[in-house]
Amino acid sequence: MSVTSAANSHRLPRIAVAAVLVLLPLVYFLPAVLGKVTLAPGDGWTQIFGIRILVGEMIARGEWPLWNPYIFAGMPLLAAIQPGALYPPTWLFAVLSPQVAMNVLVITTYHLALIGTYLYARRIGANRIGAIIAGITFTFGGYMIAHLGHTNRTNAAAWLPWILLAVEELYVCVRWRWVTLGALFIALQIFAGEPQMVLYTGMVAGAYALFALLLRARPQRTATFVMALAAMLTGGALLSMIQLLPARELLQLGDRAGLDYEYFSQFSLPPRQTLGLFFPYFFGGAVMPPYHVPYWGKWNVTESCGYVGMAAWLLALVAVFVARRSSKDNADRLVWFWACCAGVALLLSFGAYLPFGLYHVLHHVPVYNLFRASGRHLVTFNFAIAVLAGLGATALKEADRKRVKQALFKAASLLALIVVLGVIAYCFLGRWLMMDTPLPSQAAAWSNPELYIPLIFFALSVVVVFAFAKGANVPAGAGLVLVLFLDLLSFGFFYEWRAVNFNVADKLADPPTVKFIKQRESDLNAFRIVSRSDKPYARNADLLDYPNISIARGLQSVNGYDPVRLGQMAEVAGRVTLDGVIAEPGALSAAAQGFNLLNAKYLLNEHVTPSADAPVIYEGVRFDARRMDWTMPRWARAAIDAKATATELVIISAMEHAKGLAVGAPVLNVKLHTASGQLIERQLLAGRNTSEWTPDSAAAIPSWPSWNAVGYRGRGFLAHLKFDRAEIESIEFESVIGQGELIVTRASLFDAVTGTSHSLDAVSLSPERWRKLAQFGEVEVYENLRVMPRAWFVSRATLAPSVEVLRTIKTGRLMDGSLFDPAEAVLLESELFATRALKTPLMAVGAPSMPKSEGPKSEGPKSEVKITRYQPQRIELQVSNASAGFLCLSEIYYRGWEARVDSQRVSIDRVNFTLRGIELALGNHNVEFVFRAHSFRNGAAWSAFGLLLLCVGGLVTYCNRKKFTR
């Protein structure tokens, strides 16, 4: 053979492998490559897509993407971390159309995962076929495909194999190049925007490094290896500081600063759903034919899927059976490490289902307790099985033939037993496996593709694995790779990502509601909108201009979708949830001031057609068929309009997670305001007026019958809060439950004199506040008649404890019962102004009038405030005020904002619980607000320092190597 022929024979396999690694993601996502699908299902569309568009626009304008004015009335952008503002592939949105940018971003993520896993598998000794199998298993396995809509999560997970590759390279031979590359991989994973994946990668990489030090053949220079790992970790942390410091600052101000156990334990994987590891649609949930069974498992397919393919299971079992427990061989020890890693990851994924209260213990572990959804440990499980499959395929060719034969038969027998048990469970044990959702009528049938497709691939996998074990020819290896790829395709190709097949440009275009509002407004920065719906992401999402897609349409919103939204803003906006749902509909009442202060001029309200069902009647009191379903955790406050004459307030309610409360403990304070100005106060008591949900109780009232559809029969409790007959105008509610939360399902005012009932509607829209302008289908457009402008001046201040400030905003009343008018006075929290001397006339909450020394309020010249420049990170104003007072901005207070008055730096105060304000002396002033986050600047300095250290280390290493070679 000639030298050229020999070179070609070595080059061809590499070319073939490179072609496979490049082509497989393109083939898998062919509909997206052809532009027929946008790879943004679920949260990828509702949460990620609009924010990435904003990041791209800001970068294209030459701005740092630091502040997002479009959601939650304004919040940090880069610090929110999930937008991936510093992740280089996100910058594609600056130069490509949104659809193309998103598809390129996602597809290259799967290239990244595939190539990284292949390289890692090769580095630990897998042959080419084994490494390809490892790459396919991880990249197209259940976790990576099911979470495709969580764009930032898959972006981050794709760096797992690369970080492990860097650790392995340093184990083999310490070189500064891999210290630098490893640090860069760590930084890129952090920039990708999913801290949970960073934590899990750190757990795996840390365990892998300890394993390399303690259980593998020690590297020649152990101390050098440890120092290299420390340098890599330090370098990665320093490079990431530009992201980590702003993220840490924001995290401390939102809900994620600490999670209670109930939230922490959400999305735990029920052990019975491990059947889904072998039959991906065992519990249904596919969105496209030929599958047709609705989902009936716990949570959803995305949070519970870890399918890796039948061939991968078979090869992973082969690897375990071939490896010898007592062997000193590195390959065998690697098998046992990854087998243990898979087992631990699977156990951790069970979360709240772990025995002996272990998950309660984990809830106290710092950092780990900041993340919910233990089922996401399946990312580690999938990767571990992928590596084992690659090692198993390698063992079929390189291990002792006798051991291989025995291992292969053991593996096939064990997998066959599992498959048989799965078939029995599917056909006969469905009702025993059922959790929240009743068993669909289509389930448990032999003819379901959910059952027979995995069986077909089990048979094919056994055939191709045995064929591969017998022959070393290329067709056998190609057949094995093809069957595994098609097996995984049979799951992922029919999941939710293919359902995003609409025209993106049309979807981003202004819906009729947005066009209507824009026709009325010349300045889109002078107001915000708020959307209200029980199901905001359903068919009316576009008409509601629901976040975060609303960003692309240019209207600023009080709603939003981000798990690290600012907590104080959320309280003012009716406890708006992380996905933008208003949890306290009473925030829309005539008295509540939250949305007025937040400059919400327009309300997009999904019109609910009155129920055709007959009213619900209990003990002679009539309730609407439509339920309130009002959830109130501790200290939740709200007020609703209720104009009716009554002798009692009748409430149907129940508590959740509150079993430790003493009988008679108050759980809800109720204040009823009458037309004559009287205040009537009552309490709802635990064990007397309300109690925990119960399936059986003669005194209980079935309040959530429709929940039967999901296998839950909650029963509420009827409470009569009686008082002297009066004309009621409004009702305030304050939850004082000690633990858990109170759920009010229905409430009605009842008049015993006339026998009439007035069922309360928590979302009634008073014409005194909301003027209906138009209706488009099922969505109504209202104008807020009491909205505050984006900026205004007040000459009086009211000082009160924080809790009272929030109560005043929610109820519209001061402690003495008088009305609060935000145009006349600003609310200041006494905890923040305890040592501050104010020039603004001050009136304490509850005081009947101004202090005598202040004299009566005069009707002097009115102040004027004009916004002359408004940009996401800069606001300039001209203010003319005839007295000392506060300039109030309907902009969210955050420490990164700086203010200058007439070119002089001044401090910014938090006013009205969540807004920005500065105290001004009388006169004419030029005021400027600029967002210059100190955490970002400090982080950038640390990142530059980290980059410098890595460069210096590389230079020193290079010089030493040159000196040595001489």
Side-chain angles (χ1 to χ4, degrees):
M1 181 182 293
S2 66
V3 175
T4 304
S5 299
N8 288 337
S9 66
H10 287 292
R11 191 180 299 119
L12 285 175
R14 295 181 180 180
I15 295 174
V17 167
V20 168
L21 297 179
V22 170
L23 292 175
L24 279 181
L26 301 178
V27 172
Y28 194 100
F29 296 113
L30 186 60
V33 174
L34 298 176
K36 297 179 180 179
V37 164
T38 303
L39 296 174
D43 288 355
W45 179 258
T46 56
Q47 179 189 0
I48 301 297
F49 201 81
I51 290 185
R52 302 275 171 133
I53 291 175
L54 175 61
V55 171
E57 290 177 347
M58 296 182 76
I59 290 174
R61 293 197 300 263
E63 301 178 49
W64 281 102
L66 301 179
W67 187 261
N68 179 1
Y70 292 101
I71 61 173
F72 291 127
M75 67 171 289
L77 177 56
L78 180 144
I81 202 167
Q82 292 202 358
L86 296 178
Y87 191 54
T90 302
W91 305 340
L92 292 170
F93 283 84
V95 294
L96 300 176
S97 69
Q99 181 182 20
V100 174
M102 193 68 170
N103 285 347
V104 173
L105 167 67
V106 172
I107 293 174
T108 53
T109 294
Y110 287 85
H111 277 108
L112 195 69
L114 181 63
I115 296 170
T117 307
Y118 173 85
L119 293 176
Y120 170 75
R122 287 289 285 163
R123 198 67 184 91
I124 62 173
N127 59 23
R128 287 192 177 94
I129 293 295
I132 290 175
I133 287 171
I136 291 174
T137 302
F138 176 62
T139 304
F140 304 112
Y143 185 89
M144 288 292 286
I145 296 299
H147 284 272
L148 186 148
H150 298 136
T151 312
N152 52 306
R153 189 165 300 145
T154 53
N155 288 166
W159 288 102
L160 167 61
W162 291 93
I163 292 172
L164 290 170
L165 174 63
V167 174
E168 180 65 19
E169 289 284 356
L170 292 176
Y171 166 78
V172 173
C173 179
V174 172
R175 288 173 291 180
W176 191 259
R177 177 177 61 187
W178 280 102
V179 170
T180 303
L181 287 173
L184 182 61
F185 297 158
I186 292 172
L188 287 170
Q189 186 180 51
I190 292 172
F191 293 160
E194 180 50 77
Q196 192 167 13
M197 295 298 99
V198 176
L199 173 64
Y200 291 175
T201 299
M203 292 169 64
V204 175
Y208 190 74
L210 286 175
F211 161 73
L213 282 170
L214 302 177
L215 296 177
R216 295 175 74 181
R218 287 178 176 264
Q220 291 182 349
R221 291 182 291 178
T222 302
T224 306
F225 174 57
V226 173
M227 291 173 61
L229 288 177
M232 184 183 87
L233 180 60
T234 302
L238 287 173
L239 289 177
S240 306
M241 284 298 174
I242 191 173
Q243 176 70 79
L244 291 177
L245 291 186
R248 178 178 177 271
E249 181 180 48
L250 176 58
L251 181 66
Q252 294 173 335
L253 301 175
D255 297 339
R256 303 306 288 267
L259 305 183
D260 60 35
Y261 180 76
E262 298 303 326
Y263 193 76
F264 171 71
S265 61
Q266 282 184 352
F267 299 116
S268 296
L269 178 69
R272 66 188 66 182
Q273 286 197 206
T274 53
L275 290 165
L277 301 178
F278 302 91
F279 297 81
Y281 290 125
F282 187 98
F283 294 92
V287 299
M288 302 191 76
Y291 304 107
H292 59 271
V293 178
Y295 188 70
W296 56 280
K298 185 77 171 178
W299 310 120
N300 51 57
V301 174
T302 297
E303 297 292 354
S304 62
C305 185
Y307 186 63
V308 292
M310 291 293 185
W313 269 117
L314 190 56
L315 292 169
L317 292 172
V318 167
V320 172
F321 287 131
V322 167
R324 291 171 293 191
R325 290 195 178 108
S326 59
S327 173
K328 295 183 179 181
D329 182 77
N330 268 345
D332 288 347
R333 292 190 174 187
L334 276 167
V335 168
W336 288 112
F337 171 81
W338 285 113
C340 290
C341 190
V344 171
L346 185 59
L347 285 174
L348 288 175
S349 71
F350 293 154
Y353 296 94
L354 288 170
F356 313 119
L358 290 177
Y359 208 54
H360 284 276
V361 176
L362 291 175
H363 183 230
H364 295 288
V365 176
V367 182
Y368 188 85
N369 60 7
L370 296 177
F371 302 98
R372 62 172 181 164
S374 62
R376 293 171 192 167
H377 278 288
L378 288 174
V379 65
T380 306
F381 174 81
N382 273 194
F383 185 79
I385 296 296
V387 174
L388 289 173
L391 295 176
T394 303
L396 288 179
K397 295 300 179 186
E398 299 179 2
D400 178 74
R401 302 315 300 166
K402 183 177 179 181
R403 286 172 58 202
V404 166
K405 185 176 180 181
Q406 291 175 346
L408 190 53
F409 276 101
K410 286 181 182 179
S413 300
L414 179 56
L415 186 58
L417 176 62
I418 294 172
V419 168
V420 169
L421 292 176
V423 171
I424 294 172
Y426 187 85
C427 294
F428 304 107
L429 302 179
R431 295 197 176 278
W432 181 81
L433 295 171
M434 187 175 66
M435 286 167 284
D436 290 342
T437 308
L439 190 68
S441 59
Q442 305 97 314
W446 291 91
S447 59
N448 284 345
E450 286 82 355
L451 179 64
Y452 70 72
I453 287 180
L455 293 179
I456 291 173
F457 278 106
F458 166 70
L460 289 173
S461 298
V462 171
V463 171
V464 296
V465 169
F466 271 84
F468 179 72
K470 286 185 177 181
N473 53 354
V474 173
L480 176 57
V481 170
L482 180 62
V483 168
L484 176 61
F485 182 73
L486 293 177
D487 188 358
L488 295 174
L489 192 70
S490 72
F491 158 69
F493 202 68
F494 303 96
Y495 198 47
E496 60 182 8
W497 65 268
R498 283 186 60 212
V500 189
N501 52 11
F502 46 73
N503 184 286
V504 171
D506 292 344
K507 197 73 171 175
L508 294 178
D510 292 345
T513 49
V514 174
K515 289 180 180 178
F516 175 80
I517 292 172
K518 287 183 175 180
Q519 288 171 357
R520 290 174 53 89
E521 300 288 344
S522 58
D523 184 1
L524 300 185
N525 297 316
F527 67 95
R528 295 190 181 94
I529 66 169
V530 60
S531 303
R532 195 217 66 82
S533 170
D534 294 330
K535 297 180 179 179
Y537 295 108
R539 62 179 180 273
N540 289 319
D542 291 329
L543 286 173
L544 289 165
D545 196 34
Y546 217 73
N548 290 338
I549 287 300
S550 61
I551 294 173
R553 301 178 184 130
L555 293 187
Q556 298 181 24
S557 177
V558 178
N559 309 91
Y561 190 171
D562 199 298
V564 291
R565 77 205 184 293
L566 294 167
Q568 289 187 292
M569 175 272 158
E571 284 291 342
V572 170
R575 285 196 303 116
V576 62
T577 63
L578 63 88
D579 54 350
V581 176
I582 301 170
E584 286 180 351
L588 297 168
S589 67
Q593 293 288 347
F595 291 126
N596 299 342
L597 289 168
L598 292 172
N599 189 223
K601 185 175 182 179
Y602 295 98
L603 167 67
L604 302 180
N605 181 59
E606 188 173 45
H607 176 71
V608 179
T609 304
S611 174
D613 298 336
V616 176
I617 299 176
Y618 297 118
E619 299 183 9
V621 181
R622 181 180 61 81
F623 302 87
D624 283 348
R626 185 165 65 91
R627 303 175 308 279
M628 295 171 66
D629 291 351
W630 197 356
T631 302
M632 300 192 71
R634 183 172 175 80
W635 302 127
R637 297 171 178 83
I640 61 174
D641 302 322
K643 299 185 183 300
T645 300
T647 58
E648 59 184 290
L649 173 63
V650 187
I651 298 176
I652 298 175
S653 67
M655 299 182 295
E656 280 193 326
H657 315 302
K659 292 183 179 179
L661 290 182
V663 174
V667 297
L668 183 71
N669 290 336
V670 181
K671 295 181 179 181
L672 300 101
H673 295 272
T674 69
S676 62
Q678 181 185 4
L679 178 65
I680 303 171
E681 298 186 70
R682 295 292 183 269
Q683 285 188 320
L684 208 64
L685 306 178
R688 296 176 182 171
N689 310 124
T690 188
S691 186
E692 281 273 330
W693 291 120
T694 176
D696 299 297
S697 173
I701 305 300
S703 59
W704 280 355
S706 69
W707 276 35
N708 295 346
V710 292
Y712 185 92
R713 294 176 181 270
R715 290 180 177 270
F717 291 79
L718 196 68
H720 295 265
L721 305 181
K722 297 185 178 182
F723 46 84
D724 293 336
R725 193 167 189 257
E727 184 180 350
I728 306 300
E729 282 199 335
S730 64
I731 307 174
E732 291 180 41
F733 296 93
E734 178 186 25
S735 174
V736 290
I737 191 168
Q739 62 187 55
E741 56 192 17
L742 178 73
I743 301 176
V744 178
T745 58
R746 289 187 174 91
S748 187
L749 286 168
F750 179 71
D751 187 358
V753 176
T754 62
T756 57
S757 302
H758 177 78
S759 185
L760 299 185
D761 183 356
V763 293
S764 61
L765 300 176
S766 170
E768 298 173 7
R769 181 183 185 187
W770 302 103
R771 179 173 66 188
K772 185 174 180 179
L773 300 176
Q775 182 162 348
F776 301 90
E778 295 180 319
V779 175
E780 304 165 324
V781 181
Y782 288 86
E783 182 181 11
N784 184 1
L785 301 178
R786 298 178 180 175
V787 65
M788 298 302 297
R790 186 58 64 94
W792 71 99
F793 184 84
V794 294
S795 57
R796 300 172 66 193
T798 299
L799 194 65
S802 177
V803 65
E804 292 302 331
V805 168
L806 181 60
R807 188 194 67 80
T808 298
I809 292 172
K810 287 178 177 286
T811 64
R813 293 179 181 272
L814 300 170
M815 284 183 63
D816 62 352
S818 60
L819 295 177
F820 163 60
D821 184 356
E824 294 294 330
V826 64
L827 296 173
L828 306 179
E829 298 166 66
S830 55
E831 296 92 333
L832 302 179
F833 290 84
T835 60
R836 169 86 171 270
L838 295 172
K839 300 177 182 178
T840 306
L842 185 64
M843 184 178 79
V845 171
S849 62
M850 291 288 293
K852 290 183 180 180
S853 60
E854 298 291 343
K857 181 181 177 183
S858 62
E859 295 293 335
K862 291 187 177 181
S863 300
E864 293 184 1
V865 178
K866 180 181 179 182
I867 296 178
T868 57
R869 181 180 181 184
Y870 188 98
Q871 294 175 337
Q873 289 155 187
R874 179 182 294 272
I875 304 172
E876 296 178 4
L877 309 95
Q878 291 180 347
V879 183
S880 176
N881 50 298
S883 63
F886 270 87
L887 170 65
C888 301
L889 262 70
S890 183
E891 297 285 346
I892 301 304
Y893 174 85
Y894 195 74
R895 284 178 291 189
W897 283 91
E898 298 178 357
R900 292 185 180 275
V901 176
D902 301 326
S903 301
Q904 298 296 314
R905 177 83 176 270
V906 298
S907 62
I908 300 177
D909 296 311
R910 190 174 77 204
V911 303
N912 292 325
F913 198 72
T914 190
L915 300 182
R916 255 175 263 160
I918 56 175
E919 193 173 19
L920 292 177
L922 64 86
N924 299 322
H925 305 285
N926 293 317
V927 182
E928 179 185 42
F929 290 84
V930 180
F931 189 61
R932 293 194 181 101
H934 295 285
S935 58
F936 172 75
R937 288 186 287 177
N938 292 340
W942 280 109
S943 293
F945 178 64
L947 183 61
L948 178 63
L949 285 181
L950 291 172
C951 291
V952 170
L955 181 62
V956 171
T957 303
Y958 175 78
C959 292
N960 285 340
R961 187 169 63 249
K962 295 286 281 186
K963 180 179 179 181
F964 179 78
T965 55
R966 289 176 184 173

